[in-house]
Structures are given as structure tokens and as C-alpha cells.
Amino acid sequence: MTMEASAEPVLEQADGQVAAKPVRRRIRPRDVRWIRAAAELVGTFLICAVIYLSYSFGQLVMGQPSVVLPVLGTALTYLVVTAMLGGVSGGHFNPAVTVAAMFTSQISMVDGLIYIVAQVIGAIGAGALAVALVPVSKSVPDRTWLMFSVNGFSGGSPAAATLGQQHIAFGAPMAIVVELIGCMIVVAAAITTLRSDGRARRNHALYTGLAYGVGVLVTYPITCSGLNPARSTGIAIFAQSKHMAVSPISQLWLFWICPLLAASLVALVIIMTSIITDNMAMRAMGAATDAQLVVQVDADAQAQAQADAFAPGAQAQDQSAQASPAPVQTPGADTTDTAAPADTTAQTVDVSSLSDSDAEQEADAGKDAVAPANAGTIPDLQVEPLHSASETEDSDDQSEDKPTEG
């Protein structure tokens, strides 16, 4: 069930363009506070009415009190009503559950107080309906019907008549213990199946119904199964004037203190568990971050070590490159000769077997080969071939014998 809220209608400007579009927003019932409160009121009324009537009529008609009918009736009633209205209000229908939800921040304080008021009003309405519907006569007064649905202990316990014959009774200490256990089961099942924003999960109705069934199984023979302060209050108000064996209002304190104490304990456990898990998660994140930092530092150290290992060789190469001067090319020299490394070893040329012209050509070739190699160190050095005295005289004679070109 949803409602739609729209903004102002579409307006058109002078040029015919649309100025604004209608804004439609779906409003769910759970988004309206008074609808949620109404759901709690109606749900609590239905639950308490079924419990009051089934406990009273069922036990008396059967003749022999039994715990089976209260267990099944309570479990199925909470399951069905929670499935019906849990999606609207969260399905509390119990002030103890609402108080626990307030402590765990699953519902605001204002909403929680409104819920509690609505729940009590719904339970009072159900109590009025149950008292009005029971048939009464001189032989079967009101208290005969209500004794199986009014919560109490000692003389107000459902087993008081049977136990009184044996001169024993279920006193307040036992009632407190069993109510605490039952309420803790109920509240824990309800709170753990609510989301952080108070919405009911899919399994909320099932777990709530099962929890109430277990709680009734434990508490019914001793206290007639309180487990819900609103449920205890609704019937106690109207049974007060019905001449019960024990005043229901005088014992009502136990059925408010035990559920609220159980709600506080459950909320405390949930809060402490949340704190512990959050701290563990933070420590795990911190450990993971530290491990990443260590890995990063190790990687940086390895990279720096590798850089330092290659740095001296690179520096030495740079220094050697700067120290060695660039080769100087002799003008007129062939580039192919300078490109190839010259042999610095002295070349021995046998000029004795060569003619004068061949010796001069060989000497010139030796000059061309040696000069580029030593150009980097002694650029002006020129090497000339050595001649013996006899070779010099022969060359002079040959030059004189040659006719002069005229």
C-alpha cells in the first residue's frame, strides 16, 4: 500500500517551454509516524485479544489446564500478526522490544515512546473486549475465566490451586528468573531480526513467533506467561475489580521490571558485541595497512639498492666520456680512414727493394695512415721515411740524369 504526493502542477513560461515538471514521490506507510503507531496499536490489540480469549476459554473448556494450547496459540498469533504489520512498524508489539530497539538506535526515542503508548492502549482495548465477552453466572464468576489469563505469582499463579494442596508455591524469585529468561529469548529474537533502521527482515515474523512459543513453554505454569508488559497491563486493569485471589495490580511491577531489565541486558550485549567487532575490524584494517606499508618500504629499498648498484658504473662511463677528447679530423683526410681505428703499431716498410718513386708513394701512404691515428695527441707530427747515404746519392744522380723539362 503506497500513497503518492505530487508538487504543484506543471507551469508554462511565456515562450511555451515547460518551467517545471511535477515531482511525484512514493510515500510508504512506514514513512508516516502516526501510521506506524497505529500499526503497533492494532497489532497489540489483536495479539492480546487472542491471548486473553484463548487462555480463558480454551483452558476452562478443556477442563484440564495444559501448556500446549498457550504455546501454540501464542506462537501462531505473534507469527501471523507480525507478518501482517511488521513491514509497517517493524513488528514490536511489546514495550520490551521497543526499549531494546531504542537502546540499539534502531528506533528514535520519540518513536519509541509513541510505540509504547500505542501498545499499552491496544492491550487495554483487548482486555476490555475479553472481559466483556466472557459469560458470567453465579456458579461461574469472572475470576473463573480470568484466572488463566491474568499474570501473577505465588497465589496468583495458574498452578496456585494445585500447588497449594502440597503447601508449596511459585514465589517472586522463581517468577523473576523465568520471566527474565523468557523475555531475553523474545527480545533477542526480535531485535536481531530488525535492520539498523528498524525495518523487519523477512525472517522476523517466524523467529518472533518461535521465540514467544519457547517463552510461554517456560513461564506459563509459573506466571501465566507475561513476556510483554502491555499484555500484562491490559488484562490486569479490568481483572482488578473481579475479586481475584490476589490483586493483579499489586503484582504488575514484576511484569514490567523483568521485561525491561531483559531488554536492557540484550541491548547491552548487542552494543558490546558491536564495539568488539568494530575494534577487531579496525585492527585488521590497521594490520593490512601496516603490511602494505612494509611491502612498499621494502620495494622502495630494493629499487634504491638497484639504483645505487648501477649508479657507479654510469658515473664512471660519464667521467671517461668527459675525459677523452673528441677526435680531430685533419683537413683533407678521408672520412673512412678516420672512422676505422688506426693501428698505432709502427709499420716497417722495406724501401730497399722499391724504387725512388715507389718509396716516396709508400712514405706518403704511411703519412696518411699514421697522421689520423696520432692526430688526437700530436696533431702537427709528420713522419718521413729514413734513407741511407747510398740511397740518397743514387737518388741525386738519377735526378741529375733526368733531362730538365723545358
Side-chain angles (χ1 to χ4, degrees), residues 1-33:
M1 181 176 66
T2 58
M3 296 181 296
E4 293 186 357
S6 60
E8 296 181 357
V10 178
L11 301 178
E12 293 187 359
Q13 297 179 350
D15 55 359
Q17 296 181 355
V18 178
K21 294 182 179 180
V23 179
R24 295 185 178 274
R25 182 171 61 91
R26 290 184 177 274
I27 300 177
R28 295 170 295 182
R30 69 175 310 276
D31 296 332
V32 182
R33 177 175 292 170

Side-chain angles (χ1 to χ4, degrees), residues 17-245:
Q17 296 181 355
V18 178
K21 294 182 179 180
V23 179
R24 295 185 178 274
R25 182 171 61 91
R26 290 184 177 274
I27 300 177
R28 295 170 295 182
R30 69 175 310 276
D31 296 332
V32 182
R33 177 175 292 170
W34 68 265
I35 295 180
R36 297 197 302 271
E40 286 292 316
L41 189 152
V42 173
T44 307
F45 172 82
L46 294 175
I47 290 172
C48 292
V50 173
I51 289 175
Y52 298 156
L53 296 175
S54 63
Y55 283 20
S56 299
F57 297 158
Q59 298 289 35
L60 189 61
V61 170
M62 291 176 62
Q64 182 67 30
S66 173
V67 75
V68 177
L69 181 61
V71 168
L72 293 178
T74 304
L76 292 176
T77 302
Y78 273 100
L79 190 154
V80 173
V81 175
T82 304
M84 290 168 49
L85 301 174
V88 179
S89 64
H92 296 190
F93 313 124
N94 187 337
V97 176
T98 302
V99 169
M102 293 165 62
F103 288 160
T104 56
S105 300
Q106 292 173 307
I107 188 175
S108 65
M109 299 295 292
V110 175
D111 287 345
L113 294 176
I114 294 175
Y115 273 27
I116 293 174
V117 173
Q119 292 160 1
V120 173
I121 294 174
I124 293 174
L129 177 64
V131 172
L133 290 178
V134 293
V136 179
S137 66
K138 292 182 179 180
S139 60
V140 183
D142 293 329
R143 63 180 182 181
T144 305
W145 296 98
L146 299 178
M147 63 179 298
F148 295 105
S149 58
V150 175
N151 297 127
F153 54 91
S154 296
S157 173
T162 303
L163 296 178
Q165 299 176 0
Q166 305 297 329
H167 303 286
I168 57 177
F170 292 136
M174 181 174 288
I176 292 173
V177 171
V178 296
E179 283 290 327
L180 276 176
I181 294 173
C183 290
M184 289 178 65
I185 294 173
V186 169
V187 174
I191 290 298
T192 54
T193 53
L194 291 177
R195 302 182 187 274
S196 60
D197 58 354
R199 293 182 300 163
R201 299 180 185 272
R202 293 183 178 180
N203 56 0
H204 178 67
L206 177 61
Y207 287 1
T208 299
L210 293 176
Y212 276 103
V214 174
V216 172
L217 182 64
V218 174
T219 60
Y220 183 81
I222 301 171
T223 63
C224 197
S225 299
L227 305 177
N228 187 337
R231 171 254 187 275
S232 302
T233 303
I235 194 66
I237 292 175
F238 296 97
Q240 180 65 25
S241 60
K242 302 304 179 181
H243 306 287
M244 304 295 294

